[in-house]
Amino acid sequence: MSDYHKLKISDEQAKGILKNLYEIEGAASLVHGELDFNFRIDINDEAIYILKISRPDEDSHYLDFQNQLLEKLAQNSEVFASEVIADKDANKTSSFVDEAGNTRLVRLLSWTPGRLWCEVNPQSDELRYDLGRQAGQITKALQGFTHPVDERELVWDIAQALWTVEHAALFNNKEFELVNYFQNRFIELQTSYKNLRCSVVHNDVNDHNIVVSNDLLNPKVEAIFDYGDAIKTQIINDVAIACAYALKGFNDPLEAALPLIAGYHQSFALFEEELDHLYIAIAMRLIISVTKAEINRVAEPDNEYLQISRESALNTLRAWNKVNEEYATYSFRKICGYNAHPNEEKFKHWTEKHTFSLSNLFPTISRDQISPLDLSVSSSWLGNEKEFNDLDLFQYKLRKLQKENPDKIIAGGYLEARALYLAPEYDSLGNYGRQSRTVHLGIDYWLPALTPVHAVLDGEVVVATDNAGDKQYGGLVILKHVVNDFEFYSLYGHLNVASALKNKIGDIIPKGEQIALLGAYPENGNWATHLHFQLMLTMLDYENDFAGVAFSHKINVWKSICPDPNLLFKVKNSLDTNQALKSELLGFRKQHLGKGMSLQYAEPLTIVRGHQQYLIDEHGRKYLDTVNNVAHVGHEHPDVVKAGQDQMALLNTNTRYLNEKINQFAHELLETFPKELSVVHFVNSGSEANELALRMAKVVTGHKDIIASQVGYHGNTNATIDVSSYKFDGKGGQGKPEFTTIFPLPDAFRGKHRGDDAAAEYAKEVKACVDSIHSKGLGVAGLILEPILSCGGQIELPQGFLEKAYQHIREAGGLCISDEVQTGCGRMGKVFWGFQLHDVIPDIVTVGKPLGNGHPVAAVVCTQEVADKFANGMEYFNTFGGNPVSSAIGAEVLRVVKREGLQENALQIGEYLKAEIIALKQQYPIVADVRGQGLFLGIELLDSQMKPLAAECDYIINRMKEHSILMSSDGPDHNVLKIKPPMIFSRSDADELIRCLKTVLNEDVLKF
């Protein structure tokens, strides 16, 4: 056992060695190294050099190898290479004698500013690509470099990794089984592996050997250093080592490795046969790390560096073992520009020379053409989830479609991102939040139950099983076909179980012979009788099944593994959904839609479907929606949708006729208000509601002056813009109009008045507004105010303020308007309406967004006195306000809130979520304030000097989108994260939001 403490060099000793040998004074700090003692040298607080001190008996030839290698790299302008600094005697390799009398070799290398890779968070796809690109540049620059010691014995060389087999006793049973599997695979591949290209490579691109720029938003790899493990070996080993370290900690290690491989290939092209060995090479590097750490733990228990990689490497190896080797190789090939499956082109060429017809597959059905059926995420034919999960309705629609196309087979689905796969079992946690398997890999043919299915060419049965189970997928048969010098498979799903099981493994089914019959419900699946037909160029590791649905971000690999079945049948009708490209949508919008209609996010989303608390893009990716309070009871709530559809099919007209729908709506709405608020006027939007409320206040009082809050927002009409400081004081605004008086934003946390007296002080501000109006000889028409100011930054009114403010307004003869467009309909949790938080009753209440769940419906609710005075002879008529369709929808929304207990849910989940966010304040200083009620919350971001952090807020919003969570900001300084999701937001949704928020808050940009 070596005495690590006697060999170790302290920071102070290193500082002295530096001065003695190089006549340089600087601060020394130890950095990681396995054998050498490495010290970063800082001069004037800037890292300038790396001082490398060897252990006793270091081979000077080995150090000469490194020096010459660096000189070789220095000839390439695209690669950073440390300069070897000569000592005071002009030696590139210096030396000293330590206290034990050992001669120690020393080198001083130049350094580049930046951060170590292990300190960088997040390690993005773009950064891993840049790492691969830099590593490939080094390999390219070292081509042709040789040295007498470049083929030395080295335990860290993957080519020599079989030494680890001798240390099996270091692992417990499960660990041994894992390690031994990869060792045996490595042994099996030795013949082809030894024939791969070799070169001198870095051979140790690990997270402590990479310098990343100090640019936190767009970091780049500045340098890869420490060539102590450089050796002549298989080039693919260098890629494997970089991957082994770069994929640590990711839920999907394969996806994490791919950008690095792409970057490497861009700089130094990798051959197909090299990629065939990459998966095992990565595993073997991890096994070396684990084995070496176990050995060194005994030899030098105090050397912390030797233990750093043990657990992380073992965990990474476990994760890597869950990745299918064959699929990984196809992914490597695709990212490097090759066909994912090597037989893809062979198969396509074969299909060009062979044509089959659908009548070969279904000989009893005399149809060879199809009628495409769109079941994509954006399919209007499919309807909402309640409809497409209604089998009777689904079958009825199919029968109707078949009658309209009697000479065709209803078919579709290849590479179609489907809304049918919204259930949680299709979800998993990827590297950047939730991901969903949505893309269909086969074609579905809808035909009557018990329709015979026949083989289109000779095949061997490799699977014949009852795949019904709990999910009711019916019988499954898979045939293997051998053509020319390759093979492929055809899959037949949703079969009649008894007929499928008549087939036995190994049976040869000749072309034209019956395979099975289509199953009937319920054994065939949940979406009516159909055949799922799929082609595969491999079975991967599936034995009794095969994937029928894939992740959209992996589809380029899967479509190579599972080619289009229509390559066989070549039907004329297109099976494509022909969705518009994002670039086309964006281009048209920029040209033809108003420039003031902004898009959310730096990279806009294409959203095609809503479902409960999710918005869904064209690929079927579900985004947890934390900001769409418009979808009050959940996106496209089936009961609300049906209420609108049913009434739209019956009648839609204006309110000049008697109709029970408007009465029912008014009744449902008034039941939620105090008895004083008893009259309703229906309109179409929150802006219209506030416009009408302002008009009512002016008519009733005979005055024009309105008092409103600083940074308040009440709509987009002329009158509402005139009382919206958020607009007229903002960009493009014209300043405060003549008849508007503004009082300071009633923010007790960071506003003009703070602390315990804030309520009284802000009430005085309202009184000052009243006095100012009176001083001009004018009267007060009213006060308009949200119970929680949304655009102000989710500002809760100080307790007691609203009561006193209302008192001042009423004493002046004005009316009190509560703008509940954002806060109403149970969102506050404790109460149904926001004003009820303050023990007041307004004269007028406006309701908008939540009332129609996305349908344009709004209302103004007022006292009988206000209604009577407003009815001065001038008729109020609104063409669409209160129409039967809107009334049916609005009434159903209110019923759903009550029926599903959504106000109580807002209280429970809101309080839980608020408490969890408050807890974040202790760990993340930029979380300065958490406020709001129910499911209407705000998180204000400030630095230690109370300076608003708008850029950081925007960063969080865009990063959360990458984690499949939609957020937005509010506040005059754009530094408040707002949370106002659909009211069905659950405990698990809250946990997901907190988990991802923590992940993002830990990133470098947000560390203060």
Side-chain angles (χ1 to χ4, degrees), residues 119-330:
E119 300 169 348
V120 176
N121 182 21
Q123 294 166 0
S124 66
D125 287 351
E126 293 77 13
L127 185 59
R128 290 198 304 285
Y129 178 90
D130 196 45
L131 173 60
R133 186 185 61 81
Q134 290 275 16
Q137 286 287 2
I138 292 172
T139 299
K140 182 178 179 181
L142 289 176
Q143 293 303 289
F145 174 72
T146 61
H147 191 277
V149 300
D150 62 14
E151 294 188 62
R152 69 192 184 282
E153 187 174 313
L154 180 68
V155 295
W156 291 103
D157 179 12
I158 294 176
Q160 304 175 48
L162 289 177
W163 66 265
T164 60
V165 175
E166 301 172 6
H167 299 276
L170 294 172
F171 302 101
N172 63 38
N173 289 340
K174 287 187 177 180
E175 292 173 351
F176 171 76
E177 184 178 343
L178 173 65
V179 169
N180 186 246
Y181 166 76
F182 285 113
Q183 290 169 333
N184 287 336
R185 280 290 294 138
F186 191 51
I187 291 170
E188 291 171 7
L189 296 170
Q190 282 300 295
T191 300
S192 56
Y193 174 77
K194 288 179 178 179
N195 289 324
L196 299 179
R197 283 185 300 175
C198 291
S199 168
V200 173
V201 295
H202 184 284
N203 201 52
D204 194 21
V205 181
N206 72 59
D207 44 0
H208 292 279
N209 287 349
I210 306 160
V211 179
V212 177
S213 67
N214 289 317
D215 184 343
L216 301 182
L217 285 175
N218 298 292
K220 299 292 183 182
V221 173
E222 295 288 350
I224 299 171
F225 63 98
D226 194 350
Y227 288 82
D229 285 351
I231 193 171
K232 183 176 181 181
T233 189
Q234 282 79 359
I235 291 171
I236 200 63
N237 295 343
D238 194 52
V239 187
I241 292 165
C243 288
Y245 289 98
L247 55 78
K248 290 191 303 183
F250 286 96
N251 292 317
D252 189 338
L254 175 60
E255 285 298 306
L258 294 178
L260 189 154
I261 298 165
Y264 202 106
H265 182 74
Q266 188 271 332
S267 293
F268 186 85
L270 299 169
F271 294 168
E272 294 176 78
E273 58 267 26
E274 292 173 321
L275 297 174
D276 291 341
H277 290 270
L278 180 54
Y279 174 84
I280 296 300
I282 291 172
M284 291 309 297
R285 175 60 182 216
L286 294 168
I287 289 170
I288 291 172
S289 294
V290 175
T291 307
K292 196 74 168 66
E294 283 294 295
I295 294 170
N296 290 337
R297 180 179 60 83
V298 178
E300 293 182 1
D302 296 328
N303 189 341
E304 294 181 3
Y305 174 76
L306 300 178
Q307 301 305 314
I308 286 175
S309 60
R310 200 276 181 188
E311 284 306 313
S312 64
L314 192 56
N315 289 334
T316 305
L317 187 64
R318 293 188 183 107
W320 195 239
N321 186 47
K322 294 178 182 177
V323 177
N324 177 265
E325 178 182 348
E326 191 179 356
Y327 179 82
T329 301
Y330 299 152

Side-chain angles (χ1 to χ4, degrees), residues 463-478:
V463 173
T465 184
D466 176 359
N467 201 27
D470 295 334
K471 296 181 180 179
Q472 297 178 331
Y473 289 154
L476 174 71
V477 173
I478 299 177

